[in-house]
Amino acid sequence: TITASDGINSTNKTILLVVDKKNRQPILNENKISIKELQTIDLKSFVSDPDNDILTFKFEAPFDNQGAWKTNYGDSGQHNIKFQVSDEEFTQTFAMEVDVTPTNQAPKIKSSFSDKEDVITAENNTLNYFVNAEDLDKNPLTYTWQWDGKNIGNKASGSYYLNFDSSGDHLLSVTVNDGSSSSSQEWRIQVDKTNRAPKLALLPLTVKEGE
């Protein structure tokens, strides 16, 4: 309302002021993020639009068309990422620094004394066991061998004597640990019974002539 007055009389005029909505550009909410290997990052989640406009995106590798990247072992390091965002009026290029930190990899058992899960042997034999394992993070490895849940060794290889009371089915397992993660392998050991010859207990015997 506008009022003009000469001190005695006044005149009022009402006008309509229309304020048009002005489009605002999309916003990047984070310039730097940190994730660990094997985690997934979604770039869309870091972009917002003050006007809630529908946005279109353009991404580059290693991100897919939806702006997602599932990191893997070996992706650690700093990655400078650029991508485009448009709200139909404004098109912007955003830059983001993605810091991917290493994730410990579990040890890998490459080979063992038996490629088969079922091993057949017999009593009165010595079972020689071993595994070849590696850790891509170069961490020192420890080994735990168990026979039916009982610890029988703590090295990469060893032996276990199967006495005449060992017949039956048994479980042999090994766990390889790098201090943070571990890998395991199991074998079913079938120990067959071994026949033993009779034993003679010969004692001194004294008899008299004619007896």
Side-chain angles (χ1 to χ4, degrees):
T1 300
I2 302 173
T3 302
S5 175
D6 60 3
I8 299 175
N9 298 313
S10 62
T11 301
N12 294 329
K13 178 92 173 164
T14 300
I15 65 172
L16 177 65
L17 177 64
V18 179
V19 181
D20 292 334
K21 186 175 182 64
K22 185 175 182 179
N23 184 47
R24 291 169 290 178
Q25 298 180 2
I27 299 173
L28 180 64
N29 300 313
E30 297 286 347
N31 293 319
K32 181 178 180 179
I33 62 170
S34 179
I35 63 172
K36 299 187 69 173
E37 290 175 335
L38 302 185
Q39 290 183 327
T40 300
I41 175 177
D42 181 8
L43 291 181
K44 287 184 177 180
S45 63
F46 299 99
V47 177
S48 62
D49 188 85
D51 306 306
N52 294 321
D53 293 331
I54 297 176
L55 302 178
T56 57
F57 298 83
K58 185 177 181 180
F59 303 101
E60 298 179 354
F63 293 86
D64 61 20
N65 293 333
Q66 301 301 316
W69 176 29
K70 187 181 187 312
T71 59
N72 206 338
Y73 292 121
D75 289 332
S76 62
Q78 290 185 344
H79 304 265
N80 294 316
I81 306 300
K82 290 185 178 181
F83 61 100
Q84 288 186 348
V85 182
S86 176
D87 65 356
E88 294 186 357
E89 180 180 355
F90 297 108
T91 298
Q92 291 181 272
T93 299
F94 288 139
M96 176 183 288
E97 182 178 316
V98 180
D99 184 18
V100 182
T101 58
T103 295
N104 182 65
Q105 302 182 56
K108 182 179 181 181
I109 297 177
K110 301 176 63 178
S111 62
S112 65
F113 72 99
S114 175
D115 295 332
K116 299 179 179 179
E117 294 183 357
D118 295 300
V119 178
I120 300 176
T121 183
E123 293 176 334
N124 197 31
N125 284 326
T126 298
L127 179 66
N128 296 311
Y129 54 81
F130 72 87
V131 289
N132 290 322
E134 67 174 355
D135 187 79
L136 296 180
D137 300 311
K138 306 303 179 183
N139 294 321
L141 300 177
T142 59
Y143 303 83
T144 302
W145 290 89
Q146 291 190 325
W147 178 271
D148 292 338
K150 176 185 176 181
N151 291 346
I152 61 171
N154 56 8
K155 295 183 179 180
S157 62
S159 60
Y160 187 68
Y161 174 66
L162 305 172
N163 58 31
F164 286 102
D165 297 322
S166 299
S167 63
D169 294 331
H170 303 271
L171 184 65
L172 175 67
S173 65
V174 63
T175 300
V176 185
N177 192 291
D178 66 358
S180 298
S181 304
S182 62
S183 297
S184 300
Q185 190 169 347
E186 294 182 342
W187 299 266
R188 290 183 295 271
I189 311 297
Q190 177 184 325
V191 182
D192 293 337
K193 195 170 186 63
T194 298
N195 185 58
R196 290 172 283 179
K199 291 184 178 181
L200 294 177
L202 300 179
L203 301 177
L205 181 64
T206 302
V207 299
K208 294 181 179 180
E209 292 177 334
E211 290 182 341

